[in-house]
Amino acid sequence: MNKREKFLISSLLWFTGLVLLFVIIYFLSIVKFNNAYMEEEYHELPIFQKQIEYAISPYLENKDFKSLEKYCRIFENTDVKIKIFDKDKKLIASSLTNDKESVLDESQDLNADSQNKRKFDIIDRHKIIGLVKKVQPGNEAYYLKLTVSEEDVMKILLQAQHYLFLFILLFILFVISSIIYIIQKLRIPFNVLQESVIKIANGELDTEIKVPKLELLEELAVCIKKMAQRLKNQINRLKQLEEYKSDFIQNVSHEIKTPITAINSAIELLELKNNINEQDKECYEIIVHQSKMLNSLVNDILSLSEIEVEKTGEHKNFKRFALNELIESIVNYTIPSDIKINLINKHIINLLGDKELISTAVSNLLINAVKYSKSENIDVIISCVENFAQIEVKDYGIGISQEHLPFLFDRFYRVDKARSRKNGGTGLGLAIVKNITELHNGTIAVKSNLGEGSNFIIRIPMENI
């Protein structure tokens, strides 16, 4: 289950929880509403009594009991029941067709003060609220009785509320079903689209983007398809430019190496003749030195170009090799007579990478330390730190000013230009080291202060993908 599906399921559960909360609140509101409604019915009875009293007074005054009965029957289907008794408290008119109360029941204390304080409960549906009023429109007295049965009122209210609740429940079920349907409808095409996007992100730019028929995803799929095509075209153009650049560097280097070879051949002939006089010897040495520098520069440019081209490739030709043995051989071949190089193996490491390039990187750092640090001791430390192979080249020489550290790995950057040219530096050594490290998905850092020496640290993952 992916994150998107987990989010959708959790959202659906949250929605279901909110629905349950709504149902509880709805039920509590119904109870409160029913009680409030019955209270209102009770308080409205005196007002209704006055209206009824005004309406029946003419019938009672004229003793027109038939018209009175007809008037009472108007309220037959209402929740308020009307009964009228004569002076002997015998029933003369009622809103009920078969009213069993033929004589006024005085046992019901409907006018008691306690009625004003009563609370209504929908569970007890057999309570009756009402009032009895003595009316005297003429010379004779009559009794008007108004009653409201909680059972009848609640039956009407609950029936309406049941219909309302059923409607809300069906609506909620419809909404949940619609959400589930939409999720299911979107899930398959969205997953297909996601798989295509992941393939494109992994470099498979020829992946076909299937445009779903759903309008919700169609526009997104079309945009992704256009983006993938533009990205592919851009990458192809960059690859073409890289090829042009590589061809240009190869051609220029070849053209430069041709005269360098001729110059070196001429130098060798002059050395064989051994007839250079003291006056021309200085010019001869300048030619030899500059020829070596130019040859070194061309080789460094070619190496850097090849590494950059390899960095753009998706598949790297890495093999596992013994890092400790490789660096030991480099140290043995690099040691000058007046400098001590200490190899410190903290861990034995088998690294997955390009053996020749790692050798070049470490050699460049060692050569720089020997040439420029003015240190009598140099430490080469091999260790394993957090699943990274770490190579440190540490000297105890003159150090490097802090202002130069951010630019050390830039091409052709020199801390001391005069000293670098004197020692034959091209300004590309550290740039090559950085590119080799990045090719192996690693990092390079430097720690240095003036007068305290320098420490160059290469960190490369133990498992390169």
Side-chain angles (χ1 to χ4, degrees):
M1 186 182 293
N2 56 35
K3 290 183 179 179
R4 187 182 65 257
E5 290 177 343
K6 287 181 180 178
F7 171 76
L8 292 174
I9 291 172
S10 62
S11 299
L12 193 59
L13 290 175
W14 272 104
F15 180 76
T16 305
L18 289 174
V19 169
L20 292 174
L21 181 62
F22 168 78
V23 170
I24 294 171
I25 294 172
Y26 174 78
F27 179 76
L28 294 175
S29 299
I30 284 177
V31 173
K32 189 175 181 181
F33 171 80
N34 290 347
N35 288 334
Y37 186 85
M38 290 305 300
E39 287 283 356
E40 187 177 355
E41 283 280 337
Y42 178 75
H43 290 298
E44 285 183 353
L45 276 178
I47 300 172
F48 190 62
Q49 171 261 321
K50 290 180 180 180
Q51 294 174 345
I52 297 297
E53 184 180 348
Y54 177 80
I56 64 175
S57 292
Y59 303 128
L60 293 174
E61 192 174 351
N62 298 323
K63 295 185 179 182
D64 187 359
F65 298 132
K66 287 185 177 180
S67 299
L68 182 63
E69 182 76 17
K70 190 181 293 184
Y71 174 79
C72 290
R73 291 296 172 83
I74 296 174
F75 300 93
E76 185 176 4
N77 296 321
T78 64
D79 53 354
V80 180
K81 306 305 178 185
I82 302 174
K83 297 179 182 181
I84 302 170
F85 300 87
D86 59 14
K87 62 181 180 180
D88 298 324
K89 299 182 181 179
K90 293 181 179 180
L91 183 67
I92 58 174
S94 174
S95 59
L96 300 175
T97 305
N98 297 313
D99 197 340
K100 296 179 181 180
E101 187 183 6
S102 58
V103 179
L104 179 62
D105 185 4
E106 295 183 290
S107 64
Q108 293 180 336
D109 189 12
L110 298 175
N111 292 318
D113 293 337
S114 60
Q115 293 293 324
N116 294 324
K117 299 177 182 179
R118 65 179 300 177
K119 298 295 180 183
F120 301 95
D121 191 344
I122 63 168
I123 296 174
D124 186 1
R125 299 178 181 176
H126 300 287
K127 294 177 183 177
I128 295 176
I129 62 173
L131 56 83
V132 176
K133 177 72 174 179
K134 184 177 180 181
V135 294
Q136 194 168 354
N139 296 325
E140 293 187 25
Y142 297 91
Y143 295 92
L144 172 63
K145 182 178 181 180
L146 301 179
T147 58
V148 177
S149 171
E150 286 190 30
E151 183 178 8
D152 295 340
V153 174
M154 287 302 170
K155 189 183 291 183
I156 297 170
L157 285 176
L158 291 177
Q159 186 177 14
Q161 289 163 359
H162 287 161
Y163 285 135
L164 178 62
F165 180 77
L166 184 62
F167 172 77
I168 293 173
L169 185 62
L170 290 174
F171 176 76
I172 291 171
L173 290 174
F174 171 76
V175 171
I176 294 174
S177 302
S178 301
I179 292 172
I180 294 173
Y181 173 77
I182 291 170
I183 290 172
Q184 288 296 109
K185 193 77 173 175
L186 289 175
R187 188 174 63 86
I188 295 175
F190 196 93
N191 287 343
V192 172
L193 187 61
Q194 185 184 37
E195 289 174 4
S196 301
V197 172
I198 290 172
K199 288 181 180 179
I200 291 171
N202 291 331
E204 300 177 29
L205 299 177
D206 292 325
T207 302
E208 182 184 0
I209 304 291
K210 295 181 180 179
V211 179
K213 295 180 180 180
L214 293 171
E215 292 183 3
L216 191 62
L217 293 176
E218 185 178 2
E219 187 176 353
L220 177 62
V222 170
C223 290
I224 293 173
K225 192 172 184 178
K226 289 180 180 179
M227 180 192 69
Q229 188 60 44
R230 291 184 66 182
L231 185 62
K232 182 180 177 181
N233 294 337
Q234 189 71 14
I235 289 174
N236 289 336
R237 282 196 293 270
L238 289 174
K239 284 182 178 179
Q240 194 174 23
L241 289 172
E242 194 64 37
E243 288 176 4
Y244 291 155
K245 174 187 169 184
S246 180
D247 292 342
F248 174 76
I249 291 174
Q250 294 284 348
N251 292 333
V252 169
S253 300
H254 180 267
E255 294 299 323
I256 293 174
K257 275 203 165 189
T258 301
I260 289 174
T261 304
I263 293 170
N264 288 334
S265 299
I267 290 170
E268 289 175 3
L269 287 173
L270 288 173
E271 286 178 347
L272 288 173
K273 288 181 179 181
N274 198 21
N275 59 353
I276 302 172
N277 56 44
E278 291 297 327
Q279 188 177 359
D280 297 331
K281 193 172 183 180
E282 185 179 352
C283 293
Y284 170 78
E285 288 176 353
I286 292 172
I287 292 171
V288 172
H289 178 71
Q290 294 298 329
S291 175
K292 287 180 179 178
M293 280 193 63
L294 190 58
N295 192 52
S296 177
L297 178 62
V298 170
N299 289 335
D300 283 350
I301 290 173
L302 284 172
S303 297
L304 190 59
S305 176
E306 288 171 2
I307 294 167
E308 287 181 341
V309 170
E310 193 171 349
K311 279 171 66 178
T312 60
E314 294 179 11
H315 304 287
K316 301 176 178 65
N317 188 25
F318 288 169
K319 294 180 181 178
R320 197 168 292 281
F321 63 92
L323 181 64
N324 304 73
E325 293 178 6
L326 174 67
I327 295 180
E328 185 178 358
S329 65
I330 295 169
V331 169
N332 292 334
Y333 283 111
T334 309
I335 294 178
S337 58
D338 57 339
I339 295 177
K340 183 180 180 182
I341 299 180
N342 306 305
L343 179 59
I344 303 170
N345 290 306
K346 291 186 176 180
H347 298 94
I348 304 301
I349 297 173
N350 288 318
L351 186 65
L352 182 64
D354 191 311
K355 185 176 179 180
E356 297 299 323
L357 291 178
I358 295 294
S359 175
T360 301
V362 177
S363 296
N364 283 358
L365 292 179
L366 267 175
I367 291 168
N368 279 1
V370 170
K371 282 185 177 181
Y372 306 118
S373 69
K374 296 183 180 180
S375 175
E376 296 180 357
N377 292 294
I378 297 172
D379 293 338
V380 179
I381 306 167
I382 304 171
S383 59
C384 181
V385 180
E386 297 178 353
N387 208 30
F388 281 83
Q390 183 168 290
I391 307 166
E392 298 179 60
V393 177
K394 187 175 183 180
D395 66 69
Y396 303 90
I398 59 175
I400 303 169
S401 176
Q402 292 291 318
E403 63 187 36
H404 295 293
L405 296 183
F407 312 104
L408 277 183
F409 301 101
D410 293 349
R411 298 178 190 180
F412 303 108
Y413 186 81
R414 295 181 176 90
V415 175
D416 188 339
K417 294 182 173 60
R419 189 181 61 179
S420 295
R421 289 195 178 95
K422 182 181 177 181
N423 293 327
T426 62
L428 291 174
L430 290 179
I432 290 172
V433 174
K434 181 184 178 184
N435 277 272
I436 291 172
T437 306
E438 290 176 348
L439 176 66
H440 289 79
N441 300 320
T443 59
I444 183 167
V446 59
K447 298 176 182 178
S448 184
N449 284 301
L450 284 174
E452 298 179 6
S454 303
N455 187 14
F456 286 84
I457 305 167
I458 293 176
R459 298 186 75 187
I460 296 174
M462 297 289 287
E463 297 293 335
N464 271 291
I465 299 175

